[in-house]
């Protein structure tokens, strides 16, 4: 055994340092299924508290939907629990391929390959399709999993300022001599809830002969008139060369992800993407659940329509109450508090009122941009949102921030 | 003739600074968190185009790019 006291001490010091810096993350134990109403043990050891959850990625309220749960049960019975193999040895069932076809149909793409998670899809895709002769040009606010994928790839890498099309264009010109250029963005940015201007990006990519990559994890199932994603919202279905997305948020919320797009690129992933080659894919009951989710969403837009109405209600309510929000029209609604401690205090105040929402602060968001990120769901009823709004107003009054501008809040609490 | 230090500093500010951080010729760029090592490539390509030089990848290190002064020293090594 080589785990000496010295080594242990070194790690304890690092962990204490995280605690002292206020960067130590604590889990809260939920004792119920994921839903609008949950039962939480917090702090650890305390008795259970019933609260309304407004910080899950359960956008469509499908995480515990009875039809999805039933389909997963049936999948468990018909296809078993696990595969004990990666895909290309003996880990592919009929339902895996069926799901891939359904995803292609849903997103309007040529083909799809499943990954254990979208983190894995993003980690594997660039290395599988690009070489050192190529360049990746990414928005400066893309998700961490994309950054990891970029790091693992030998192609040249450059960035453009968040959603700045003129800057992106200058980068496409600068790198005109590379074999391939690929522009990389999130469809919906998870911290601010804004969307990438995919119509303009697709036009630029056409003009400069570049591929376009979109991670639509916070969009698939509900953004766009029929919920196909950010590409539907911007009228560019069929023009995105690679879409990655997750089944761990709106699409049932269990786990799994995929790369969907041009069939040769998908095939390159099947031949070369390391998380696909060296890790088990999605387990059969989860595959069966996602298939049911896509069946539900293909049959009716009821759930995304309800989500849209709920989101309008929520944004309007918070705005009228006098909170500072980030502009946007997605179900990610950040309530800006600017100061890190204030965001934690407000989160605690909300919890006391039976509302579960978390404060985000540096380094998750830039310094001075602390916030409570609220996320609306089709699983919320208006009475949930009314109760949450009442709680926000009560806590907002306590901290005297209602009707106050960004400048005034910063004057009171600091950055 | 344009002053190289001014040209480089102006490029760095336009390209990387999105708030009112002030950049001098000595400001640590990469270790100071102004330029992330990820985005350095456009700076390298800008210099190569502007001064018609080619900087080998193994010379374009984060250390060599850590301030306007250091960058200009590097560039001058490659200008004929
Ligand atoms: C934009 C984005 N991409 C990818 C992921 C990772 O998804 P998964 O949980 O499937 O790994 C997330 C989740 O946090 C995300 O927000």
């Amino acid at each position: 055994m080589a785990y000496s006291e010295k080594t242990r001490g070194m790690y304890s010091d690092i962990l204490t340092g995280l605690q002292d810096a206020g960067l130590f993350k604590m889990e809260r134990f939920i004792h119920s299924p994921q839903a609008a109403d949950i039962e939480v043990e917090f702090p650890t050891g305390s008795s259970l508290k019933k609260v309304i959850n407004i910080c899950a990625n359960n956008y469509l309220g499908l995480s515990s939907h009875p039809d999805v749960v039933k389909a997963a049960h049936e999948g468990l019975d018909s296809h078993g629990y696990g595969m004990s193999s990666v895909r290309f040895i003996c880990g592919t069932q009929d339902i895996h391929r069926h799901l891939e076809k359904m995803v292609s149909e849903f997103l309007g793409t040529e083909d799809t390959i499943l990954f254990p998670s979208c983190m894995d899809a993003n980690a594997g895709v660039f290395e599988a399709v690009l070489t050192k002769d190529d360049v990746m040009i990414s928005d400066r606010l893309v998700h961490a999993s994309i950054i990891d994928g970029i790091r693992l790839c030998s192609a040249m890498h450059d960035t453009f300022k968040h959603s700045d099309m003129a800057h992106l264009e200058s980068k496409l010109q600068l790198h005109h001599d590379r074999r391939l250029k690929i522009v990389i963005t999130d469809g919906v940015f998870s911290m601010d809830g804004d969307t990438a201007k995919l119509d303009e990006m697709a036009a630029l990519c056409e003009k400069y002969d570049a591929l376009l990559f979109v991670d639509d994890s916070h969009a698939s199932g509900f953004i766009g008139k029929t919920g196909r994603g950010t590409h539907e919202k911007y009228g560019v279905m069929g023009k995105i060369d690679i879409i990655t997305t997750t089944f761990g948020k709106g699409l049932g919320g269990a786990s799994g992800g995929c790369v969907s797009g041009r069939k040769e690129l998908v095939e390159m992933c099947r031949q070369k993407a390391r998380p696909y080659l060296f890790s088990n894919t999605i387990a059969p009951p989860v595959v069966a659940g996602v298939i049911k989710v896509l069946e539900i969403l293909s049959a009716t837009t009821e759930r995304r329509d309800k989500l849209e109405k709920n989101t309008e209600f929520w944004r309007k309510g918070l705005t009228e109450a006098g909170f500072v929000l980030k502009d946007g029209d997605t179900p990610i609604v950040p309530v800006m508090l600017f100061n890190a401690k204030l965001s934690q205090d407000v989160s605690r105040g909300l919890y006391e009122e039976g509302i579960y929402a978390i404060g985000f602060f540096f380094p998750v968001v830039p310094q001075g941009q602390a916030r409570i990120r609220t996320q609306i769901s089709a699983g919320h009823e208006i009475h949930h949102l009314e109760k949450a709004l009442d709680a926000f107003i009560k806590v907002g009054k306590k901290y005297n921030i209602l009707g106050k501008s960004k400048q005034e809040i910063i004057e009171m609490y600091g950055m | 003739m344009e002053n190289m230090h001014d040209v480089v500093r102006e490029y760095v500010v336009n390209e990387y600074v999105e708030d009112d951080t002030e950049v001098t010729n000595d400001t640590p760029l990469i270790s100071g968190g102004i330029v992330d090592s990820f985005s350095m490539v456009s700076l390298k390509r800008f210099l190569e185009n502007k001064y018609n030089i080619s900087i080998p990848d193994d010379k374009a290190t984060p250390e060599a790019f850590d301030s306007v002064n250091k960058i200009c020293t590097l560039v001058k090594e490659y200008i004929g």
Side-chain angles (χ1 to χ4, degrees):
Chain A
M1 206 194 73
Y3 196 63
S4 65
E5 282 309 308
K6 189 169 154 232
T7 308
R8 189 186 295 279
M10 183 189 84
Y11 283 111
S12 313
D13 289 349
I14 295 172
L15 292 167
T16 310
L18 285 178
Q19 252 157 350
D20 293 346
L23 298 176
F24 197 80
K25 292 174 206 65
M26 300 265 267
E27 294 176 343
R28 306 179 183 198
F29 303 130
I30 298 173
H31 288 244
S32 54
Q34 184 63 277
D37 297 294
I38 54 173
E39 288 183 358
V40 184
E41 173 194 340
F42 183 76
T44 304
S46 57
S47 56
L48 298 189
K49 185 173 165 87
K50 284 193 164 69
V51 294
I52 295 171
N53 192 355
I54 53 168
C55 60
N57 301 313
N58 182 19
Y59 298 112
L60 292 163
L62 291 169
S63 304
S64 309
H65 189 282
D67 292 351
V68 178
V69 173
K70 180 161 171 278
H73 273 295
E74 287 168 3
L76 187 59
D77 289 338
S78 63
H79 284 74
Y81 169 69
M83 292 309 297
S84 303
S85 167
V86 298
R87 283 286 292 271
F88 76 95
I89 298 180
C90 54
T92 301
Q93 291 171 318
D94 55 339
I95 51 172
H96 291 103
R97 190 59 194 149
H98 179 57
L99 175 56
E100 289 175 338
K101 293 206 165 119
M102 282 185 86
V103 171
S104 308
E105 178 109 343
F106 190 77
L107 298 179
T109 53
E110 294 173 11
D111 200 1
T112 298
I113 173 173
L114 303 179
F115 277 82
S117 68
C118 189
M119 168 97 203
D120 284 314
N122 289 337
V125 60
F126 301 111
E127 190 192 22
V129 303
L130 302 174
T131 70
K132 63 175 178 29
D133 300 327
D134 307 324
V135 63
M136 307 174 278
I137 307 175
S138 62
D139 187 288
R140 287 193 183 159
L141 291 189
V142 293
H143 189 255
S145 55
I146 294 179
I147 309 248
D148 285 5
I150 287 171
R151 285 207 173 105
L152 289 169
C153 177
S154 63
M156 180 185 276
H157 177 233
D158 202 353
T159 58
F160 62 98
K161 294 177 191 171
H162 177 55
S163 274
D164 184 333
M165 293 300 113
H167 199 223
L168 169 59
E169 182 160 15
S170 75
K171 293 306 175 87
L172 286 163
Q173 289 163 348
L174 177 67
H175 298 297
H176 68 93
D177 55 347
R178 309 302 290 183
R179 186 191 69 147
L180 281 175
K181 301 177 281 298
I182 183 167
V183 174
I184 301 170
T185 185
D186 289 9
V188 171
F189 289 86
S190 56
M191 281 303 144
D192 289 355
D194 57 328
T195 53
K197 301 164 191 156
L198 289 188
D199 48 352
E200 292 178 49
M201 297 178 89
L204 282 175
C205 286
E206 210 149 302
K207 181 169 171 197
Y208 291 96
D209 191 22
L211 299 172
L212 182 51
F213 170 105
V214 179
D215 176 339
D216 235 3
S217 289
H218 288 274
S220 297
F222 51 94
I223 299 291
K225 277 248 162 322
T226 64
R228 306 310 157 110
T230 317
H231 57 326
E232 183 182 29
K233 176 183 166 83
Y234 284 95
V236 288
M237 283 184 79
K239 293 197 178 170
I240 314 296
D241 304 295
I242 302 177
I243 297 173
T244 60
T245 194
T246 181
F247 307 124
K249 303 189 194 294
L251 300 177
S255 71
C258 65
V259 170
S260 192
R262 307 295 175 200
K263 62 179 190 291
E264 297 78 12
L265 303 181
V266 169
E267 194 55 44
M268 288 297 283
C269 288
R270 233 178 265 285
Q271 301 308 316
K272 294 183 63 179
R274 296 171 68 85
Y276 168 86
L277 294 174
F278 300 117
S279 185
N280 280 12
T281 193
I282 312 167
V286 175
V287 173
V290 182
I291 289 173
K292 177 53 74 182
V293 165
L294 291 180
E295 281 171 7
I296 294 173
L297 299 180
S298 303
T300 158
T301 60
E302 218 172 89
R303 302 193 80 81
R304 57 93 42 215
D305 296 344
K306 182 173 173 197
L307 174 59
E308 196 166 72
K309 287 217 173 65
N310 282 351
T311 302
E312 274 167 28
F313 177 88
W314 182 243
R315 277 190 179 275
K316 185 158 173 282
L318 286 174
T319 305
E320 284 174 2
F323 285 98
V324 180
L325 307 183
K326 281 262 178 194
D327 284 343
D329 56 0
T330 69
I332 298 173
V333 185
V335 180
M336 300 307 292
L337 299 165
F338 310 104
N339 175 277
K341 179 163 184 307
L342 180 62
S343 75
Q344 286 168 291
D345 290 344
V346 170
S347 168
R348 202 168 308 114
L350 290 170
Y351 191 74
E352 277 161 23
E353 299 297 320
I355 305 301
Y356 188 175
I358 298 291
F360 285 79
F361 43 90
F362 184 79
V364 178
V365 294
Q367 199 91 49
Q369 289 201 32
R371 67 195 62 187
I372 304 265
R373 181 180 69 171
T374 64
Q375 290 168 286
I376 300 309
S377 168
H380 290 133
E381 301 301 334
I382 291 298
H383 70 83
H384 290 118
L385 300 179
E386 281 171 346
K387 182 159 179 227
L389 209 48
D390 286 346
F392 260 98
I393 290 170
K394 188 165 168 191
V395 178
K397 275 193 186 133
K398 177 172 167 196
Y399 289 97
N400 193 26
I401 52 173
L402 296 183
K404 297 286 193 298
S405 67
K406 170 179 177 178
Q407 222 39 54
E408 289 168 322
I409 297 175
I410 291 173
E411 270 163 31
M412 277 191 285
Y413 292 96
M415 290 270 272
Chain B
M1 202 185 113
E2 287 179 314
N3 176 316
M4 186 190 291
H5 287 78
D6 293 343
V7 171
V8 172
R9 200 176 53 246
E10 189 187 317
Y11 181 82
V12 166
V13 170
N14 288 340
E15 175 66 26
Y16 302 109
V17 179
E18 296 192 40
D19 52 24
D20 45 18
T21 306
E22 212 191 314
V23 175
T24 69
N25 290 348
D26 285 322
T27 306
L29 299 176
I30 296 182
S31 58
I34 293 174
V35 179
D36 79 73
S37 54
F38 250 31
S39 309
M40 234 175 67
V41 61
S42 52
L43 178 54
K44 175 173 181 286
R45 298 209 94 192
F46 166 76
L47 298 168
E48 289 177 332
N49 288 346
K50 173 95 191 164
Y51 296 105
N52 204 12
I53 55 174
S54 167
I55 307 172
D57 282 346
D58 60 344
K59 297 288 182 216
T61 59
E63 294 74 36
F65 271 63
D66 207 27
S67 70
V68 172
N69 280 336
K70 287 182 183 164
I71 292 167
C72 293
T73 307
L74 181 74
V75 169
K76 283 178 186 154
E77 273 179 44
Y78 291 92
I79 297 181

